[in-house]
Coordinates of all heavy atoms in Angstrom, one line a residue:
R288 N -91.6 -83.3 3.9 CA -90.4 -84.0 4.4 C -90.8 -85.3 5.0 O -91.8 -85.4 5.7 CB -89.7 -83.1 5.5 CG -89.2 -81.8 4.9 CD -88.6 -80.9 6.0 NE -89.7 -80.4 6.9 CZ -89.5 -79.5 7.8 NH1 -88.4 -78.9 7.9 NH2 -90.5 -79.2 8.6
D289 N -89.9 -86.3 4.9 CA -90.2 -87.7 5.4 C -90.1 -87.7 6.9 O -89.0 -87.4 7.4 CB -89.2 -88.7 4.8 CG -89.6 -90.1 5.0 OD1 -89.8 -90.5 6.2 OD2 -89.7 -90.8 4.0
V290 N -91.2 -88.0 7.6 CA -91.2 -87.9 9.0 C -90.3 -89.0 9.6 O -89.7 -88.8 10.7 CB -92.7 -88.1 9.5 CG1 -92.7 -88.1 11.0 CG2 -93.5 -86.9 9.0
F291 N -90.3 -90.2 9.0 CA -89.5 -91.3 9.6 C -88.0 -90.9 9.6 O -87.2 -91.1 10.5 CB -89.7 -92.5 8.8 CG -88.9 -93.7 9.2 CD1 -89.1 -94.3 10.4 CD2 -87.8 -94.2 8.5 CE1 -88.4 -95.4 10.9 CE2 -87.0 -95.3 8.9 CZ -87.3 -95.9 10.1
I292 N -87.5 -90.3 8.5 CA -86.1 -89.8 8.4 C -85.8 -88.8 9.4 O -84.8 -88.8 10.1 CB -85.8 -89.3 7.0 CG1 -86.1 -90.4 5.9 CG2 -84.4 -88.8 6.9 CD1 -85.3 -91.6 6.1
R293 N -86.7 -87.8 9.6 CA -86.6 -86.7 10.6 C -86.6 -87.3 12.0 O -85.9 -86.8 12.9 CB -87.6 -85.7 10.4 CG -87.4 -84.9 9.1 CD -88.5 -83.8 8.9 NE -88.5 -82.8 10.0 CZ -87.7 -81.8 10.1 NH1 -86.7 -81.6 9.3 NH2 -87.8 -81.0 11.1
L294 N -87.4 -88.3 12.2 CA -87.5 -89.0 13.5 C -86.2 -89.6 13.9 O -85.7 -89.6 15.0 CB -88.6 -90.0 13.5 CG -89.0 -90.5 14.9 CD1 -89.8 -89.4 15.6 CD2 -89.9 -91.8 14.7
L295 N -85.5 -90.3 12.9 CA -84.2 -90.9 13.1 C -83.2 -89.9 13.5 O -82.4 -90.0 14.4 CB -83.8 -91.7 11.9 CG -84.6 -92.9 11.5 CD1 -84.1 -93.6 10.3 CD2 -84.6 -93.9 12.7
Y296 N -83.1 -88.8 12.7 CA -82.1 -87.8 13.0 C -82.4 -87.1 14.3 O -81.5 -86.7 15.1 CB -82.1 -86.8 11.8 CG -81.2 -87.2 10.7 CD1 -81.8 -88.0 9.7 CD2 -79.9 -86.8 10.6 CE1 -81.0 -88.4 8.6 CE2 -79.1 -87.2 9.5 CZ -79.7 -88.0 8.5 OH -78.9 -88.4 7.5
G297 N -83.7 -86.9 14.6 CA -84.1 -86.3 15.9 C -83.7 -87.2 17.1 O -83.3 -86.7 18.1
G298 N -83.8 -88.5 16.9 CA -83.4 -89.4 17.9 C -81.9 -89.4 18.2 O -81.5 -89.5 19.3
Q299 N -81.2 -89.3 17.1 CA -79.7 -89.2 17.2 C -79.3 -88.0 18.0 O -78.5 -88.0 18.9 CB -79.1 -89.2 15.9 CG -77.5 -89.2 15.9 CD -76.9 -89.0 14.5 OE1 -77.3 -88.0 13.8 NE2 -76.1 -89.9 14.1
H300 N -80.0 -86.9 17.7 CA -79.6 -85.6 18.4 C -80.1 -85.7 19.9 O -79.3 -85.3 20.7 CB -80.3 -84.5 17.7 CG -80.1 -83.2 18.4 ND1 -81.0 -82.6 19.3 CD2 -79.0 -82.3 18.3 CE1 -80.5 -81.5 19.7 NE2 -79.3 -81.2 19.1
A301 N -81.2 -86.2 20.1 CA -81.7 -86.3 21.5 C -80.8 -87.2 22.4 O -80.5 -86.8 23.5 CB -83.1 -86.9 21.6
I302 N -80.3 -88.3 21.8 CA -79.5 -89.2 22.6 C -78.1 -88.6 22.8 O -77.5 -88.7 23.9 CB -79.4 -90.5 21.9 CG1 -80.7 -91.3 21.9 CG2 -78.3 -91.4 22.5 CD1 -80.8 -92.5 21.1
L303 N -77.5 -87.9 21.7 CA -76.2 -87.3 21.9 C -76.3 -86.2 22.9 O -75.4 -86.1 23.8 CB -75.7 -86.8 20.5 CG -75.3 -87.9 19.5 CD1 -75.0 -87.3 18.2 CD2 -74.2 -88.7 20.0
V304 N -77.3 -85.3 22.8 CA -77.4 -84.2 23.8 C -77.6 -84.8 25.2 O -77.0 -84.3 26.2 CB -78.5 -83.3 23.3 CG1 -78.8 -82.2 24.4 CG2 -78.1 -82.5 22.1
G305 N -78.5 -85.8 25.3 CA -78.8 -86.3 26.6 C -77.6 -87.0 27.3 O -77.3 -86.7 28.4
F306 N -76.9 -87.8 26.5 CA -75.8 -88.5 27.1 C -74.6 -87.5 27.4 O -73.9 -87.6 28.4 CB -75.3 -89.6 26.2 CG -76.0 -90.9 26.3 CD1 -77.0 -91.3 25.5 CD2 -75.6 -91.7 27.3 CE1 -77.6 -92.5 25.6 CE2 -76.2 -93.0 27.5 CZ -77.3 -93.3 26.7
S307 N -74.5 -86.5 26.6 CA -73.4 -85.5 26.8 C -73.7 -84.7 28.1 O -72.8 -84.5 28.9 CB -73.3 -84.5 25.6 OG -72.9 -85.2 24.5
A308 N -75.0 -84.3 28.2 CA -75.4 -83.5 29.4 C -75.2 -84.4 30.7 O -74.8 -83.9 31.7 CB -76.8 -83.0 29.3
V309 N -75.7 -85.7 30.6 CA -75.6 -86.6 31.8 C -74.1 -86.8 32.1 O -73.8 -86.9 33.3 CB -76.4 -87.9 31.5 CG1 -76.1 -88.9 32.5 CG2 -77.9 -87.6 31.4
L310 N -73.3 -87.0 31.1 CA -71.9 -87.3 31.4 C -71.2 -86.1 32.1 O -70.5 -86.3 33.1 CB -71.2 -87.7 30.1 CG -69.7 -87.9 30.2 CD1 -69.4 -89.1 31.1 CD2 -69.1 -88.2 28.8
L311 N -71.4 -84.9 31.5 CA -70.8 -83.8 32.1 C -71.3 -83.5 33.5 O -70.6 -83.1 34.4 CB -71.0 -82.6 31.2 CG -70.2 -82.6 29.9 CD1 -70.6 -81.4 29.1 CD2 -68.7 -82.6 30.1
S312 N -72.6 -83.7 33.7 CA -73.3 -83.4 35.0 C -72.7 -84.4 36.0 O -72.4 -84.1 37.2 CB -74.8 -83.6 34.9 OG -75.4 -83.5 36.1
T313 N -72.6 -85.7 35.6 CA -72.1 -86.7 36.5 C -70.6 -86.5 36.9 O -70.3 -86.6 38.1 CB -72.2 -88.1 35.9 OG1 -73.6 -88.3 35.6 CG2 -71.8 -89.2 36.9
L314 N -69.8 -86.1 35.9 CA -68.4 -85.8 36.3 C -68.3 -84.6 37.2 O -67.5 -84.6 38.2 CB -67.7 -85.5 35.0 CG -67.4 -86.7 34.0 CD1 -66.7 -86.2 32.7 CD2 -66.5 -87.7 34.7
L315 N -69.1 -83.5 36.9 CA -69.0 -82.3 37.8 C -69.5 -82.7 39.2 O -68.9 -82.3 40.2 CB -69.9 -81.2 37.2 CG -70.0 -79.9 38.0 CD1 -68.6 -79.3 38.2 CD2 -70.9 -78.9 37.3
A316 N -70.6 -83.4 39.3 CA -71.2 -83.8 40.6 C -70.2 -84.7 41.4 O -70.0 -84.6 42.6 CB -72.5 -84.5 40.4

């Protein structure tokens, strides 16, 4: 599997999960 392609998709997932968690945590706090 192409590592560069997987790195791009992994970065998209990390950023979406990170921002979602931070947004919900900030709203709750």
